[in-house]
């Protein structure tokens, strides 16, 4: 029997709510027929956004939403998405289906979505095909006080006299790849041009520099080295980490289950190495990690649109386990991480929702976000698990304390065996009864479909915190226990 030591005196830091953030790009079916159905649609909507999805999203308390890309941000002209008579543009990111970008959802609509779901906005600016002045103009349009600049007056004419609240601004996206195939030295110089203008006009904006892909630490080294004079207003280094191509998204083998989880676990190494480099330049108090794209990336075509929506994929308990493992890692490294954004929200890679026409269902990953949501803003504490060195038979664990309660989230990474553990309290006294939420299915390939929307769901029960707890193979468990009176 394993033991999970909950070491209350060893606080790891506060888990920024933004660690539980999301990403929505103009790509495939994320917006059109996903989030957005249109104001005149017969599908129930709130100001054009799919009502069912909005309500489910509100439930998991999304703290932040990134937009408009991804790679799409690098071809986006913000002026296309404001006012009347919006132009239709080529959108390479819907290339599979020859759809074009109508710009129906632009700045005002996206910020309306953020308001509806209670999320902060995170905008990605275009470095590849635009200019620092255009980035600053977009900020001017969005952020300048009412009645001041010409762009603020244009914003008012478009229906929003008060400035919008957009705390986070990314400078480019994947500039080592789809964002211009830049060398790190070149990107760093571009970042300096952009950040200087953006910070100069709007010093309160939190700017993020483009970070690494996977384990390209040469990028980190060169970019961070060059940002010494920008350190005071660079708040994030936006790394990306995808895992996947470990077999069929729904028909994987046991060996592929293990392989996918090992790849997912690799994000911890990328976090530590990037952090070591940032700390080596003594920038750790200024520049935090922002993992603004992460998740499973499977071969195309397994989603309900059968490949029509670019990158849309089905999600099983394996994807839910990757989410639980990753979120536990983020919690355990919370002092390094300012934000993460799982890619992407709807009809895409590691999605929480699949939608189309009148259908809108949640994936197993949605349940993980629901089960973990009380980690947001909580104090993470150290956990130590005994007998946990065999990765394929290990437990992934994190714990946090908030509002007089402890939340422990556990993933049983084994696809072969159930596990049992006890909770060992170090430096705290918990009540004898707690509440448990379990995400589990006997078939680890189980997933939700439009025909069977609730095949994978959670069950809730109470449990005795002093007794051994059993967790089935491939299951995710959230335990909430109040402190003893
Ligand atoms: O999330 C899909 C794509 O993956 C994004 O546009 C890009 O940033 C990444 O390569």
């Amino acid at each position: 029997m394993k033991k999970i030591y909950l070491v209350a005196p060893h606080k790891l830091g506060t888990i920024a709510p933004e660690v539980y953030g999301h990403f929505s790009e103009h790509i495939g079916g994320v917006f059109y027929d996903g989030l957005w159905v249109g104001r005149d649609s017969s599908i129930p909507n709130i100001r054009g956004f799919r009502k069912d999805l909005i309500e489910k999203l509100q439930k998991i308390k999304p703290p932040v939403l990134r937009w408009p890309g991804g790679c799409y941000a690098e071809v986006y002209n913000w002026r296309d998405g404001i006012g009347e008579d919006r132009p239709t543009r080529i959108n390479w990111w819907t290339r599979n289906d020859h759809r074009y970008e109508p710009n129906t959802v632009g700045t005002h609509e996206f910020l309306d979505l953020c308001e509806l779901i209670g999320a902060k906005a995170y905008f990605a600016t275009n470095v590849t095909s635009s200019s620092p002045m255009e980035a600053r103009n977009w900020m001017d349009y969005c952020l300048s006080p009412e009645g001041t600049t010409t762009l603020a007056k244009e914003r008012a004419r478009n229906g929003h006299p008060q400035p919008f609240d957009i705390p986070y601004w990314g400078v480019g996206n994947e500039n080592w790849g789809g964002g211009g195939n830049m060398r790190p030295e070149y990107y760093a110089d571009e970042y300096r041009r952009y950040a200087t203008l953006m910070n100069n006009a709007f010093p309160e904006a939190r700017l993020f520099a483009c970070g690494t892909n996977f384990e390209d630490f040469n990028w980190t080294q060169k970019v961070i080295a060059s940002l010494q004079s920008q350190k005071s207003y660079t708040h994030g280094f936006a790394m990306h980490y995808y895992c996947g191509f470990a077999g069929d998204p729904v028909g994987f083998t046991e060996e592929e289950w293990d392989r996918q989880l090992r790849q997912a676990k690799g994000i911890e190494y990328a976090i530590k190495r990037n952090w070591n480099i940032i700390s080596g330049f003594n920038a750790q108090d200024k520049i935090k990690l922002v993992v603004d794209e992460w998740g499973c990336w499977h071969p195309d075509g397994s989603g309900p649109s059968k490949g029509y929506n670019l990158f849309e994929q089905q999600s099983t308990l394996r994807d839910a386990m990757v989410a639980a493992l990753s979120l536990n890692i983020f919690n355990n490294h919370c002092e390094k991480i300012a934000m993460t954004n799982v890619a992407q929200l709807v009809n895409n890679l590691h999605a929480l929702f699949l939608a189309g026409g009148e259908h809108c269902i949640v994936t197993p990953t949605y349940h993980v976000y629901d089960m973990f949501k009380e980690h947001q803003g909580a104090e993470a504490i150290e956990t130590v698990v005994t007998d946990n060195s065999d990765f394929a038979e290990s437990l992934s664990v994190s714990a946090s304390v908030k509002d007089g309660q402890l939340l422990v989230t556990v993933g049983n990474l084994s696809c072969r065996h159930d596990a049992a553990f006890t909770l060992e309290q170090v430096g705290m006294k918990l009540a004898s009864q707690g509440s448990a939420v379990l995400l589990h299915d006997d078939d680890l390939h189980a997933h939700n479909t439009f025909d069977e929307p609730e095949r994978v769901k959670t069950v809730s029960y109470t449990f005795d915190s002093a007794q051994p707890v059993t967790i089935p193979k491939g299951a995710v468990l959230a335990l909430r226990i109040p402190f003893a009176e």
Side-chain angles (χ1 to χ4, degrees):
M1 168 120 38
K2 296 176 194 283
K3 293 179 179 179
I4 298 179
Y5 284 92
L6 303 160
V7 190
H10 189 188
K11 304 256 188 303
L12 303 177
T14 303
I15 301 168
E18 289 83 354
V19 164
Y20 286 78
H22 299 277
F23 173 34
S24 58
E25 180 171 13
H26 287 244
I27 181 175
V30 176
F31 274 95
Y32 303 113
D33 206 24
L35 283 156
W36 179 263
V37 293
R39 294 185 185 88
D40 301 328
S41 172
S42 59
I43 297 161
N45 67 86
I46 309 175
R47 301 197 288 275
F49 290 101
R50 193 184 280 279
K51 184 165 183 282
D52 191 10
L53 199 153
I54 295 295
E55 288 171 355
K56 287 177 173 134
L57 202 42
Q58 286 166 339
K59 185 167 175 256
I60 62 169
K61 301 186 184 165
V64 63
L65 189 56
R66 178 176 184 241
W67 179 81
C71 285
Y72 180 70
E74 294 288 5
V75 293
Y76 187 59
N77 179 347
W78 68 272
R79 291 212 66 99
D80 289 351
I82 57 168
E84 305 292 321
D85 301 324
R86 299 185 189 178
T88 297
R89 301 287 185 200
I90 296 165
N91 182 352
W92 185 82
W93 295 98
T94 55
R95 69 191 187 281
N96 281 2
D97 46 45
H98 306 290
R99 279 181 285 181
Y100 292 92
E101 171 58 51
N103 283 299
T104 314
V105 174
T107 297
H108 290 251
E109 293 77 17
F110 175 74
L111 291 164
D112 193 28
L113 169 65
C114 290
E115 196 178 310
L116 282 172
I117 61 175
K120 293 179 186 164
Y122 167 17
F123 277 17
T125 55
N126 179 346
V127 170
T128 305
S129 56
S130 189
S131 70
M133 194 60 198
E134 271 313 303
R136 202 190 78 164
N137 284 343
W138 197 11
M139 296 176 96
D140 179 357
Y141 180 86
C142 294
L143 305 177
S144 287
E146 181 175 358
T148 55
T149 67
T150 298
L151 286 169
K153 290 176 188 162
E154 186 177 358
R155 181 188 73 222
R157 285 196 300 281
N158 288 333
H160 208 281
Q162 309 81 20
F164 290 113
D165 182 18
I166 305 161
Y168 307 112
W169 293 79
V171 180
N173 173 77
E174 295 196 350
N175 301 92
W176 36 261
N181 273 307
M182 299 175 190
R183 292 172 297 104
E185 296 86 346
Y186 181 85
Y187 171 75
D189 284 347
E190 286 292 293
Y191 177 84
R192 292 160 70 108
R193 292 174 67 216
Y194 273 74
T196 304
L197 260 67
M198 292 165 82
N199 172 262
N200 184 278
F202 298 95
E204 68 287 354
R206 300 180 82 76
L207 306 182
F208 301 157
C210 169
T212 37
N213 181 29
F214 200 55
E215 295 179 0
D216 176 11
F217 302 118
N218 178 49
W219 180 275
T220 316
Q221 182 75 26
K222 299 261 170 56
V223 171
I224 299 292
S226 173
L227 295 191
Q228 294 314 296
S229 55
Q230 269 76 38
K231 236 172 21 183
S232 64
Y233 51 84
T234 301
H235 295 272
F237 182 72
M239 55 179 276
H240 288 181
Y241 188 96
Y242 286 103
C243 59
F245 282 86
D248 185 80
V250 291
F252 51 86
T253 63
E254 287 186 348
E255 185 274 327
E256 288 162 347
W257 165 284
D258 291 342
R259 188 142 43 94
Q260 176 88 51
L261 295 188
R262 280 183 203 284
Q263 287 180 28
K265 168 84 173 158
I267 200 170
E268 187 166 30
Y269 174 71
I271 288 168
K272 286 183 185 168
R273 282 295 305 271
N274 276 324
W275 189 249
N276 286 348
I277 295 169
I278 290 171
S279 306
F281 285 100
N282 199 24
Q284 71 280 4
D285 294 335
K286 299 283 181 199
I287 306 177
K288 301 287 181 194
L289 294 174
V290 171
V291 192
D292 64 7
E293 290 184 32
W294 66 271
C296 297
W297 192 318
H298 301 305
D300 257 357
S302 61
S305 76
K306 308 253 182 304
Y308 177 70
N309 289 331
L310 182 70
F311 298 159
E312 180 188 87
Q313 60 190 32
Q314 251 302 354
S315 279
T316 65
L317 285 161
R318 185 173 64 156
D319 301 271
M321 187 60 73
V322 168
L325 172 62
S326 305
L327 292 170
N328 279 336
I329 289 170
F330 301 151
N331 289 343
N332 290 330
H333 291 278
C334 61
E335 83 287 7
K336 308 176 182 71
I337 303 177
M339 182 190 295
T340 91
N341 311 75
V342 61
Q344 303 194 12
L345 194 55
V346 193
N347 295 342
N348 203 259
L349 304 172
H350 206 148
L352 278 74
F353 297 92
L354 294 169
E358 75 275 21
H359 300 289
C360 176
I361 60 170
V362 302
T363 67
T365 295
Y366 171 89
H367 292 297
V368 172
Y369 273 81
D370 194 23
M371 294 160 70
F372 281 51
K373 66 181 179 230
E374 294 305 331
H375 281 308
Q376 292 186 34
E379 283 291 306
I381 62 165
E382 189 186 5
T383 56
V384 179
V385 187
T386 62
D387 189 21
N388 212 35
S389 53
D390 176 1
F391 181 76
E393 293 297 327
S394 66
L395 298 181
S396 154
V397 181
S398 73
S400 71
V401 171
K402 187 170 78 176
D403 301 334
Q405 303 220 30
L406 175 83
L407 173 62
V408 191
T409 45
V410 186
N412 181 1
L413 301 192
S414 174
C415 62
R416 299 172 185 87
H417 303 112
D418 298 351
F421 60 86
T422 56
L423 295 176
E424 307 291 333
Q425 304 168 32
V426 182
M428 70 174 144
K429 184 113 183 64
L430 295 172
S432 56
Q433 284 247 308
S435 56
V437 182
L438 177 69
L439 179 67
H440 163 64
D441 194 292
D442 285 334
D443 180 2
L444 299 185
H445 306 98
H447 53 277
N448 295 333
T449 62
F450 290 167
D451 291 333
E452 208 181 351
E454 294 199 26
R455 164 65 201 259
V456 183
K457 57 183 184 200
T458 55
V459 290
S460 302
Y461 51 92
T462 54
F463 77 104
D464 186 336
S465 65
Q467 295 301 315
V469 177
T470 301
I471 179 167
K473 66 181 184 185
V476 181
L477 182 62
L479 303 172
R480 282 195 93 194
I481 316 156
F483 291 126
E485 296 292 308

